[in-house]
Amino acid sequence: MATVTQKITLSSSRDIPFNKLVLSQSNVRRVKAGISIEALAESIVRRGLIQSLHVRPVVDADGQETGMFEVPAGGRRYRALELLVKQKRLNKTAPVPCVVSEAGGDILIDEVSLAENIERAPLHPLDQFRAFQALREKGMAEEEIAAAFFVDVKVVKQRLKLVSVSPALLDIYAEDNMTLEQLMAFTVSDDHARQEQVWEAIRNSWSKEPYQIRRMLTEDAVRASDKRAIFVGIEAYKEAGGIIMRDLFQSDDGGWLQDPVLLDRLVSDKLKGAAGEIAEEGWKWIEVAVSFPYGHDHGLRELVGTPVDLTDEERTAREALREEFDRLESEYAEADELPDEIDRRLGEIEAALNVFERRPMTYNPQEIAQAGVFLSIDADGSLLVERGYVRPEDETPVESEGGDGAETEAASGDPDTPGVQRTVITVGGQSTEPDDEDDSDAIKPLPERLITELTAHRTLALRDAVAGNPHVAMTALLHKLVRDCFGIRASGTSLDAMVREIHLPMQASDLSDSPSAKSVDERHRAWKADLPLGEDDDALWDWLDKLDEASRQALLAHCVSFGVNALYERPNPYSAMGISQHGLDQRLREADRLTRATGLDLVEAGWRPTVDNYLGRVTKARILEAVREALGEGKAQLIDHLKKGDMAREAERLLADTGWLPEPLRLADPDGDPAEVDTEAGDEELPAFLADTDEDEHLVAAE
């Protein structure tokens, strides 16, 4: 027998005059939540009553309807209508749409009120975003949307910001596979592909907090609070075409600058401009950098200057600030906590007094002519100028007794007839002189940083060569031990022999990809995989003891090679820190000896002159010198008319297979004689824009 489903009957609806309605005391809502009654009233004025009231007839003691109706569900709407009546904006007899329940129904009136409030589902944030977006596309401004829905403009901006999120991520959020906080974190970037890439990287990770998402999306950007951004100024960055990413959902300290290349160019230009102004003071050199490493002035002599005197007005202002500072400190001495405005004012006074303390210094013009300046950006984004440092090589030589002093006088200069000196400005170790300055035929010394980078290549190649020659490695170690044993003997140890890996502080960008680096790393990984490093020291001893002689020598050579040091570094004659000139000369002589013993050829080891590692880092005169040495005057003349960038690129092509090496990589002749020159000619195919030549080219021996 079929079961008959009982049909339900819905409550009837009708319009009831407002003055026939009363608020039920059974309404469960007591605490104010959501938008205010005033805002709801304005919404009713704008759109009408969107949702009917739920009412029930009021009955007397005999159970008879009185003609009045109580409102158990819809109390806030009732109060909004009541407010409009009081404001004379709604007639008190105006009909109100109502759903009417039976007076004697089985459902308690409290249950109706509770169900009406609990079962109402709030609008999903994604639906809210799409609704706001639809209104925005129909021409409504963000302020109008906010006013229409009685929310803060910031809420509308935040929801509309979700348009920058990838649709794929919106779908993931809609399926509850992502939190709203995580979704909002993706709004810091407009790159949908990058957003999806970040989500794929973290979706199965334990670390997928919103801050982690923001960090990954902004790792290539620069914070507006970065000292470089403060130094340049956000407005200047924007005027130059820079874009700033903002996070509407979190405090972002001004956002992120998305074009770090543009920012670095603006920083460089501003620093160069400041350096040009300081150069007018007559300094010999100016080093410019965003920041200098700790101890950058180590080994330099600092000039003693005289502070510029304060003017009468400045003295008066300083005393007034001191008096105000003392008065405020005394007035609030007993206070547990300073008021914000007083604390801020004290900070302003301290900053102003510090300016008076950091008075500009005056120096002797003759001292300025031999000293320099470090120019950088301070931690707070201000320009940091450190004046008056003398390099050891710029010190005035002491006049010997009995000498006529002509050379000293010429070096120091006659104060009555001062010579003209151009300040040498370097940014990041590179000269800021324009290309036209390179037209000079004079060969200037190589930059120290470039020499260090070149000798880092040589050091790594030499390590690889020593590791491949156990006989030389054994000789080098024995040489060290004999010197220690028969020279100055250390005490307190059974064997004073140690290999310490030499750190390469300055490296060219191509060093890690060089054949030498790959060979050293591959050999090190292979030995590391074989060694019982996870066990105790006795196990290591036993393992080494059982090695065959060839393996023992190979391992010894590998370990000894890590102590090879052929690096150039600036000698420091003023302190025990660093290396002396004698020590540097000794290091390089021993490096040459190892080079001869191992038969190292840096050309065979893979070094080639390129724009990045040499040619783009030196003057035009140096480029032409390299081509001239390797290929002869004819080839040098073919490129001497080019701009420096084009000249460097063309020189790279010409020198590719010549075996030419710069001076720091050449093997010095032990007898001090110049290296022999191989004048064997070599024809080189030139690009179409260069004229052909029939002259012979001559190759200069690089080793």
Side-chain angles (χ1 to χ4, degrees), residues 571-572 579-589:
N572 180 15
I579 190 171
S580 66
Q581 183 64 57
H582 173 75
L584 178 63
D585 293 341
Q586 178 69 17
R587 173 193 294 176
L588 298 181
R589 279 196 300 270

Side-chain angles (χ1 to χ4, degrees), residues 203-354:
R203 64 183 306 172
N204 296 320
S205 169
W206 60 269
S207 177
K208 49 185 176 183
E209 297 299 321
Y211 75 85
Q212 174 75 1
I213 295 172
R214 292 186 183 91
R215 186 191 65 78
M216 295 177 69
L217 289 172
T218 59
E219 58 188 359
D220 294 329
V222 178
R223 275 196 174 274
S225 56
D226 187 279
K227 68 178 185 178
R228 292 171 294 168
I230 298 173
F231 177 68
V232 170
I234 298 300
E235 293 304 319
Y237 170 78
K238 288 181 178 179
E239 290 175 4
I243 299 173
I244 295 183
M245 254 187 324
R246 297 304 305 267
D247 187 351
L248 295 177
F249 301 95
Q250 295 285 332
S251 174
D252 59 6
D253 292 329
W256 293 269
L257 283 64
Q258 290 189 277
D259 194 340
V261 175
L262 172 62
L263 176 63
D264 288 341
R265 179 173 63 80
L266 295 175
V267 168
S268 178
D269 291 346
K270 190 170 182 179
L271 284 174
K272 288 178 182 177
E277 296 176 2
I278 296 174
E280 296 177 1
E281 300 173 11
W283 301 98
K284 183 172 184 178
W285 54 265
I286 298 177
E287 282 279 357
V288 181
V290 173
S291 59
F292 288 102
Y294 174 78
H296 64 279
D297 56 351
H298 189 73
L300 306 183
R301 179 170 63 88
E302 185 175 2
L303 299 181
V304 178
T306 304
V308 176
D309 290 336
L310 294 172
T311 64
D312 293 338
E313 292 79 4
E314 288 174 331
R315 288 193 183 91
T316 302
R318 184 180 63 178
E319 292 307 315
L321 288 171
R322 285 176 175 172
E323 291 176 2
E324 182 182 0
F325 188 89
D326 294 340
R327 178 178 58 80
L328 291 175
E329 272 201 331
S330 176
E331 184 177 347
Y332 291 92
E334 302 298 328
D336 294 334
E337 186 175 355
L338 292 175
D340 291 342
E341 63 274 11
I342 299 301
D343 187 49
R344 183 171 55 253
R345 178 55 184 161
L346 288 174
E348 293 172 352
I349 296 174
E350 286 183 337
L353 290 175
N354 286 335

